[in-house]
Each structure stands twice: as C-alpha cells, then as structure tokens.
Amino acid sequence: MIIGHTDRTGAEATNSLLSQSRADAVASELEREGIDRKFLQTKGVGPSQPAAPGDTDQGRMLNRRVSFSVVVSK
C-alpha cells in the first residue's frame, strides 16, 4: 500500500486529490522500475495522518510525504 499525504494548507478537496496523485506517481515509478502493478495499491489520505504538527514550515514539510505499508493477504 502506497499512501500519499499532504499538509493541511489549502482546500480539503485539493489535498485529497494531491495526496492521491502523490501515491499514484510513486506507484507509476515503481512499476517503471519493474514491480508488477498488481502488487501496488494506492491511497490518498490528505492531511488526516500528520507526521508532525502543522504550525511551522518544517512541520508542514514533514507532512507532505508518501509512506508505505506492507499488506499481506492469504
């Protein structure tokens, strides 16, 4: 699972689209590097899972990211 994040600056709808675009861009690059797309899921969560407080430039920067989660299915 590739999860795109944003800071809380801007409209919620815009952040939702941006976070999904970030996750999709990473998935596309991994696919270009040879990872089968069927193993890659993407999700945009906007600013809902901050990594840092968003009241400073540095905190906002840390919140604009992509994270990975390994999902094992049986």
Side-chain angles (χ1 to χ4, degrees):
M1 176 69 70
I2 302 165
I3 306 163
H5 304 267
T6 64
D7 63 25
R8 63 180 180 215
T9 305
E12 178 136 358
T14 301
N15 283 332
S16 179
L17 291 172
L18 177 57
S19 63
Q20 184 64 52
S21 293
R22 283 185 176 145
D24 290 340
V26 170
S28 293
E29 184 62 24
L30 291 172
E31 184 177 23
R32 191 180 73 76
E33 292 293 325
I35 297 176
D36 192 328
R37 183 67 185 216
K38 71 181 178 184
F39 295 114
L40 304 173
Q41 297 176 10
T42 62
K43 182 177 182 180
V45 296
S48 67
Q49 298 174 13
D55 52 355
T56 66
D57 288 341
Q58 178 146 355
R60 288 185 291 276
M61 179 186 69
L62 292 171
N63 289 329
R64 296 185 296 262
R65 69 195 191 283
V66 173
S67 61
F68 295 82
S69 179
V70 177
V71 178
V72 179
S73 60
K74 295 181 180 188

